[in-house]
Amino acid sequence: MPLTFTRSVAGHRGRAPLADLPLMLVAPALFAANMVAARWAESAAIPPVFLAFGRWALAFAIFFPFVAARVRAHRALLRAHAPDLALLAVLGMGLTVAPQYIGAQETSATNVALIFAACPALVALIEALVWRAPVGSVRAAGMSLAIWGVLLVLTRGDLAALGRLAFGRGDLWVLGAACAWSLYTVLGRRRALGALPGEVKLAALIAGGALALAPFAALELASGAVPDFGDGRLYAALVFLAIVPSLGAYFCYDRLVERVGAAGASMSMYLIPLYAALAAWPLLGEVPAFFHVAGFALILGGVALAGLQKRR
């Protein structure tokens, strides 16, 4: 049965801005699942680049049979947009994921979340410098409110703890991943790919990401970093990553970019560290504290306020 995911952007311009709020809440929850699963995968000693490659390769194997007919029907458009699709795949599926997994081995989850919380500012900066897009006072206010919520959660209510954060080699890997994600967000909005159905575009990006990572995963294996193929946790991690933060999260985020724009969609990134902290409650036995509740209120308010920004 053919899948049809994405409608024309123009068909949504008359919708109320807050109609997109549910999507702004769901997309970051799916991305947060990536961080939790990646931390869990470390117990199985899965090499980071292999993990990144494996998730995209498996995601393509799962997804392609459902969209093969539509991919063949749009092969001419795929060839015409091949350079743009390749660039987006390298940025969003390659340079965002593998460096994040590499960096997570050498830095704290707090630092990872804090660095990725800077993505909305990077997106707004890129659009302002390259395309001279105004940030807007409402969106700026929402960004400010949300970032205070993020900092409140990350510092466990002690904002003075920010002065004690140290940035090492792992943090630089994650910073590179955050920059790649910001570029992916902006270019995903700016590149003229609207004629491609959403599922066809997603299949092409997933395939491109797997192909881009394949040689680096092979080099990693050749260096001696070989996963234990007899460990069931390897396959559990790959299946989860392929379905939830790969197919689910990227589709939701790309659709959000189409509906509210790159800067508006990037505001949802503020919810990722909060969701990750909440997931640690049932999985790791960490009970949420008052600063979680206060941070959630600030972040949710900031995301809602940003959603009120008039679309360009």
Side-chain angles (χ1 to χ4, degrees):
M1 181 176 64
L3 302 178
T4 304
F5 291 151
T6 306
R7 301 184 210 174
S8 168
V9 179
H12 295 281
R13 292 194 186 279
R15 297 173 63 92
L18 286 180
D20 299 318
L21 184 58
L23 198 58
M24 295 186 76
L25 299 178
V26 171
L30 300 179
F31 280 118
N34 174 55
M35 296 182 178
V36 176
R39 287 207 309 262
W40 179 81
E42 290 181 16
S43 64
I46 305 174
V49 182
F50 176 86
L51 183 63
F53 162 75
R55 89 179 242 190
W56 293 125
L58 182 57
F60 183 77
I62 293 171
F63 189 53
F64 186 71
F66 295 97
V67 297
R70 291 180 65 80
V71 169
R72 286 193 294 269
H74 292 84
R75 58 185 180 273
L77 275 175
L78 286 171
R79 285 194 295 267
H81 293 299
D84 287 337
L85 289 169
L87 177 60
L88 290 175
V90 169
L91 288 172
M93 280 63 178
L95 294 178
T96 293
V97 177
Q100 183 184 163
Y101 290 171
I102 295 171
Q105 294 185 327
E106 301 186 38
T107 191
S108 67
T110 296
N111 282 20
V112 173
L114 179 59
I115 292 169
F116 265 86
C119 284
L122 289 174
V123 167
L125 180 62
I126 292 170
E127 291 204 313
L129 291 178
V130 180
W131 285 278
R132 301 188 181 281
V135 175
S137 58
V138 175
R139 180 166 292 153
M143 183 181 298
S144 176
L145 189 64
I147 198 168
W148 279 109
V150 169
L151 294 177
L152 188 65
V153 171
L154 293 177
T155 61
R156 302 178 65 85
D158 179 16
L159 294 179
L162 287 174
R164 299 192 293 270
L165 288 176
F167 294 88
R169 186 172 63 177
D171 301 295
L172 294 179
W173 279 106
V174 177
L175 179 60
C179 291
W181 177 256
S182 300
L183 284 171
Y184 170 82
T185 299
V186 173
L187 294 178
R189 167 75 171 178
R190 297 288 177 175
R191 296 290 175 171
L193 301 176
L196 278 176
E199 64 271 26
V200 175
K201 174 186 171 184
L202 183 59
L205 292 176
I206 291 173
L211 290 173
L213 289 169
F216 298 99
L219 287 173
E220 185 182 62
L221 292 174
S223 70
V226 180
D228 182 1
F229 291 101
D231 191 337
R233 293 174 296 177
L234 168 64
Y235 305 101
L238 288 176
V239 169
F240 181 83
L241 290 172
I243 294 174
V244 178
S246 296
L247 295 175
Y250 275 73
F251 164 71
C252 288
Y253 191 78
D254 278 356
R255 186 167 184 181
L256 189 60
V257 169
E258 291 179 352
R259 293 168 68 110
V260 304
S266 67
M267 287 295 298
S268 66
M269 296 292 287
Y270 286 118
L271 286 169
I272 293 177
L274 176 65
Y275 284 147
L278 292 178
W281 185 5
L283 297 176
L284 304 176
E286 298 177 0
V287 181
F290 172 76
F291 64 83
H292 287 117
V293 178
F296 178 78
L298 289 173
I299 295 168
L300 184 60
V303 171
L305 188 60
L308 293 173
Q309 176 75 44
K310 183 179 179 180
R311 298 176 199 165
R312 296 185 303 276

